Amino acid sequence: MFDGVARGYDRTNAVLSVGNAALWRIATVRAVDPKPGERVLDIAAGTGTSSVALAKSGAEVIALDFSAGMVEEGRKRHPDLTFVQGDAMKLPFADGEFDAVTISFGLRNVQQPKVAIAEMRRVLKPGGRVVICEFSRPPLGVLRAGYHAYLRYVMPLVAGVASSNPEAYRYLFESIREWPAQPELARWLRDAGFEGVGYRNLTWGVVALHRGRTPAAR
């Protein structure tokens, strides 16, 4: 499915998010706080737009995506980045390889998100950081109702104009509506062994940034 939207993926996301995608990306990079010399894994990196933003810090960024089409397009656009095709539920890396792991708008598309979270913890060093940026549920009822109406009626029309494969985006709309609320995702992180878990709503809760750390070495 994602292979078919790779070429116009970033453009469509910018349109569907009404320009907020760039702001969410900035917030995610700040939350990850990558530093020179660190190794950062960007899961569901798509064509590498988020990875490029992380790499500006001087960190070594590995862009991983399940879609061969996304990886191919990313390598064309960003030849200086390291792209890896791989499954978030079975990361092709050894234990404790990374200082930080992040995933933006991809966890809800994983078949078993709890398994993916456990894999993120496995590949992180002691004291390593995880940052998850994902669509969520606005806490206020009136905003939530308006958001759901946008997903149901407006987004399909916009995708029909902006996307080269609007059918593929219908699944994405459904996955957003069915994704659990912020407290449940935070609970998944704690259950996986992350400490200091918290989240911050962006754009009135349409998106939430979740953060946690692996236990530090004794």
Side-chain angles (χ1 to χ4, degrees), residues 83-107:
F83 282 85
V84 175
Q85 184 183 359
D87 189 343
M89 296 186 296
K90 193 175 181 180
L91 294 172
F93 306 105
D95 296 356
E97 278 200 39
F98 295 95
D99 298 281
V101 174
T102 183
I103 181 170
S104 295
F105 308 110
L107 188 60

Side-chain angles (χ1 to χ4, degrees), residues 28 32 40-43 54 100-104 129-133:
T28 301
V32 174
V40 179
L41 176 60
D42 187 13
I43 302 175
L54 291 163
V101 174
T102 183
I103 181 170
S104 295
R129 314 182 295 282
V130 64
V131 175
I132 299 172
C133 182

Side-chain angles (χ1 to χ4, degrees), residues 147-194:
Y147 177 48
H148 287 171
Y150 175 74
L151 290 177
R152 183 174 182 180
Y153 300 111
V154 180
M155 261 187 148
L157 296 176
V158 176
V161 175
S163 172
S164 59
N165 188 354
E167 289 294 325
Y169 281 87
R170 292 186 181 180
Y171 160 76
L172 299 183
F173 306 150
E174 293 171 2
S175 70
I176 292 172
R177 289 197 298 264
E178 295 172 1
W179 187 246
Q182 294 89 318
E184 185 171 353
L185 179 51
R187 183 164 57 250
W188 291 356
L189 287 168
R190 286 191 291 268
D191 290 346
F194 284 101

Side-chain angles (χ1 to χ4, degrees), residues 5 12 37 42 49 62 65 69 75 88 139 155 165 180 183 203:
V5 299
T12 303
D42 187 13
T49 303
I62 307 298
D65 201 277
R75 285 172 176 161
M155 261 187 148
N165 188 354
T203 317

